[in-house]
């Protein structure tokens, strides 16, 4: 299984993200837009791993807010994304998850954590566009649960499915 640990946007947050996608389209930005059902924030990318490890995920002890703030591009990865305001709690949660995975011997991508949600891949932009001019809707969500996702390649592209969470019953 191809796995990653992430956050699932609330409905309001997802609607704000799709508004950003719509504004990018209206500005002439083309590429492979992620389907709204696939929008997520990766906290730790595990990759191929033979078993569901959701029992290792921590509970979010004290829910905290994250706020949408800007758009950016990872040119080396050919990805356009929505970024968040700085959040000590979010960074600490990502560190905590990565420490748990390391302690359990589960390999993960050790690139530094950059809180973002991928909006599209392979963006092509008109020369005249300035990303900072694209309006970002006011959107905040409460982080109260971490999820384990499975990533599967289908005819229409990648599909991300939640297969577990850190919430304990």
């Amino acid at each position: 299984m191809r796995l990653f640990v992430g956050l699932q946007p609330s409905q309001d947050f997802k609607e704000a993200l799709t508004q950003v996608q719509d504004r990018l389209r209206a500005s002439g930005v083309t590429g492979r837009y992620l389907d709204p059902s696939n929008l997520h924030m990766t906290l730790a990318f595990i990759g191929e791993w033979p078993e569901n490890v959701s029992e290792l995920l921590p509970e979010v002890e004290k829910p905290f807010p994250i706020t949408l703030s800007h758009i950016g591009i990872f040119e080396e990865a050919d990805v356009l994304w929505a970024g968040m305001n700085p959040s000590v709690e979010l960074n600490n949660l990502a560190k905590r998850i990565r420490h748990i995975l390391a302690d359990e011997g589960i390999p993960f991508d050790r690139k530094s954590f950059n809180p973002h949600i991928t909006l599209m891949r392979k963006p092509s932009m008109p020369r005249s566009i300035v990303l900072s001019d694209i309006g970002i809707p006011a959107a905040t969500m409460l982080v109260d649960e971490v999820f384990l996702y499975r990533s599967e390649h289908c005819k229409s592209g990648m599909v991300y499915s939640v297969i577990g969470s850190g919430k304990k019953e």
Side-chain angles (χ1 to χ4, degrees), residues 134-145:
I134 302 289
I136 302 294
T140 297
M141 70 172 255
L142 197 62
V143 174
D144 61 356
E145 190 170 3

Side-chain angles (χ1 to χ4, degrees), residues 125-147:
M125 294 182 286
R127 289 193 187 275
S128 61
I129 194 167
V130 177
L131 288 179
S132 60
D133 290 345
I134 302 289
I136 302 294
T140 297
M141 70 172 255
L142 197 62
V143 174
D144 61 356
E145 190 170 3
V146 206
F147 297 92

Side-chain angles (χ1 to χ4, degrees), residues 74-143:
F74 294 135
E75 293 195 20
E76 68 282 357
D78 219 6
V79 167
L80 192 145
W81 47 267
M84 310 300 133
N85 282 336
S87 167
V88 170
E89 297 92 348
L90 181 59
N91 288 337
N92 287 341
L93 178 61
K95 282 181 194 172
R96 190 168 153 215
I97 289 165
R98 290 163 179 236
H99 283 298
I100 290 168
L101 294 173
D103 289 349
E104 293 294 326
I106 298 169
F108 60 92
D109 185 343
R110 293 183 182 263
K111 277 188 245 168
S112 61
F113 177 63
N114 181 350
H116 70 280
I117 296 176
T118 298
L119 299 174
M120 69 179 310
R121 299 187 186 287
K122 301 194 182 301
S124 177
M125 294 182 286
R127 289 193 187 275
S128 61
I129 194 167
V130 177
L131 288 179
S132 60
D133 290 345
I134 302 289
I136 302 294
T140 297
M141 70 172 255
L142 197 62
V143 174

Side-chain angles (χ1 to χ4, degrees), residues 32 152-159:
R32 289 194 345 245
E152 296 177 285
H153 197 290
C154 299
K155 288 180 184 177
S156 60
M158 298 304 284
V159 174

